[in-house]
Amino acid sequence: MITKRPAVAAGFLLPSIVIYGLLLLYPLFSGLWLSLTDSRGGPRSAFVGAEQYVRMASDSEVWRALGVTLAYALIVVVLQNLLGLLFARALYHRPRIRKVVSVLIMLPTLVAPVMASLIFSAIYAPEGALNSLLRAVGLDGFTRIWLGDPQTALWAIALVNIWMFAGYSAAIFLAGYLALPADVLEAADLDGASGWRRFRAIEWPLLAPALTVNITLALIGSLKVFEFPLIMTNGGPAGATTTLTMLIYRKVFGNAGEFAYGVTIAVLLLAVVVVCSTAVTAVLRRREEGMGI
């Protein structure tokens, strides 16, 4: 029974409000304030207004890192959800192996990002498993220094992210498949709809909520990627994998006197995550409404 006494309700809400304020609001506003100062990470700082933001606006290093971050997010969001959808559809139509395979494809999510980075760094090494396999099947011309080539480094790192979380996306899509209305599927069977026609006309529209969740989660996670480029390439080669999080790390912890500037770049990253995720979610929700879901 819901209480009608405001004081009692406030008493129950107070612990949550305090925790929310300490863990989210306080760091957020502290960061915004620091971005308006010349703080070097110590107790003393002076207010400089928008000076850090003016510097950031003309900093080509920041905008290049932003471009790398957005490109990485695009690769991960598209390929991770495509693979997740293919896995989910295959499992939905194969109920006998569904439980076992569902567990197996989720196993990579249990691997720590640091461990996954180290494993794939060894695989991508010049004499690693990938190049050795290509040579073994006679495809020597396709061998690369995967993490040392600006053309392939970002893709190589993105594939590790996709390997880890494609199973997670598949689980969400599979939940959407299992929630498909039985009467609609029976009507489709009676009409003779199958294969691509059935997927395009029935399954894909009804999977809209699962698609919204998957794209939003993959987008937020990929925009904030840090461990993979840090461990696998340290932002190289030639800045090809330097994301905004990598740049923030370098400014805050690596360059004396640039603590406040690093925080300013973190504010930019926060804005990018909020704007992109909000815009994408709004578009996908509007699509759901247009389908009557």
Side-chain angles (χ1 to χ4, degrees):
M1 181 177 180
I2 300 176
T3 180
K4 295 183 179 180
R5 291 181 292 177
V8 175
F12 281 108
L13 289 174
L14 185 59
S16 299
I17 293 173
V18 171
I19 294 173
Y20 182 81
L22 290 175
L23 298 183
L24 183 65
L25 296 182
Y26 176 73
L28 173 62
F29 287 108
S30 294
L32 291 173
W33 167 252
L34 285 171
S35 70
L36 301 175
T37 70
D38 62 355
S39 174
R40 297 187 177 186
R44 295 183 179 181
S45 62
F47 180 78
V48 296
E51 181 179 310
Q52 305 287 6
Y53 290 94
V54 173
R55 174 188 173 187
M56 183 174 66
S58 59
D59 190 342
S60 60
E61 187 180 22
V62 171
W63 297 112
R64 179 178 182 180
L66 175 60
V68 170
T69 302
L70 293 176
Y72 180 90
L74 180 62
I75 295 170
V76 170
V77 169
V78 173
L79 294 185
Q80 180 178 311
N81 283 285
L82 178 60
L83 285 176
L85 181 60
L86 291 175
F87 284 143
R89 191 173 191 275
L91 291 175
Y92 175 69
H93 293 288
R94 293 167 178 79
R96 291 184 178 180
I97 64 171
R98 185 185 301 158
K99 291 183 179 180
V100 175
V101 177
S102 295
V103 173
L104 292 178
I105 64 175
M106 286 293 290
L107 289 179
T109 63
L110 303 179
V111 180
V114 173
M115 183 59 68
S117 300
L118 294 174
I119 292 171
F120 276 88
S121 292
I123 292 174
Y124 287 137
E127 300 300 325
L130 180 55
N131 281 341
S132 298
L133 177 62
L134 291 173
R135 294 189 188 99
V137 296
L139 297 176
D140 300 58
F142 289 93
T143 59
R144 295 286 188 279
I145 303 176
W146 299 99
L147 297 177
D149 186 343
Q151 301 298 322
T152 59
L154 191 66
W155 284 88
I157 293 174
L159 289 177
V160 181
N161 194 324
I162 294 165
W163 171 79
M164 283 195 67
F165 297 108
Y168 189 83
S169 297
I172 296 175
F173 278 125
L174 182 59
Y177 263 110
L178 296 175
L180 295 178
D183 54 342
V184 175
L185 298 178
E186 290 174 3
D189 291 336
L190 293 175
D191 289 339
S194 61
W196 170 250
R197 181 185 173 190
R198 175 188 173 113
F199 174 78
R200 180 177 59 84
I202 298 173
E203 295 175 5
W204 178 246
L206 293 177
L207 287 173
L211 180 68
T212 300
V213 173
N214 264 332
I215 288 183
T216 302
L217 292 177
L219 178 63
I220 293 173
S222 56
L223 287 173
K224 299 189 300 179
V225 64
F226 177 66
E227 297 97 334
F228 300 136
L230 175 68
I231 296 171
M232 298 179 72
T233 62
N234 196 30
T241 59
T242 299
T243 59
L244 283 176
T245 52
M246 280 288 301
L247 193 57
I248 292 166
Y249 172 77
R250 290 176 182 172
K251 297 299 182 183
V252 171
F253 298 105
N255 297 321
E258 295 197 300
F259 181 85
Y261 188 51
V263 174
T264 305
I265 301 174
V267 173
L268 171 65
L269 175 60
L270 174 64
V272 169
V273 171
V274 171
V275 170
C276 289
S277 60
T278 301
V280 168
T281 302
V283 170
L284 293 174
R285 290 297 185 192
R286 194 175 297 115
R287 173 175 176 263
E288 293 179 27
E289 293 172 0
M291 294 177 176
I293 298 176

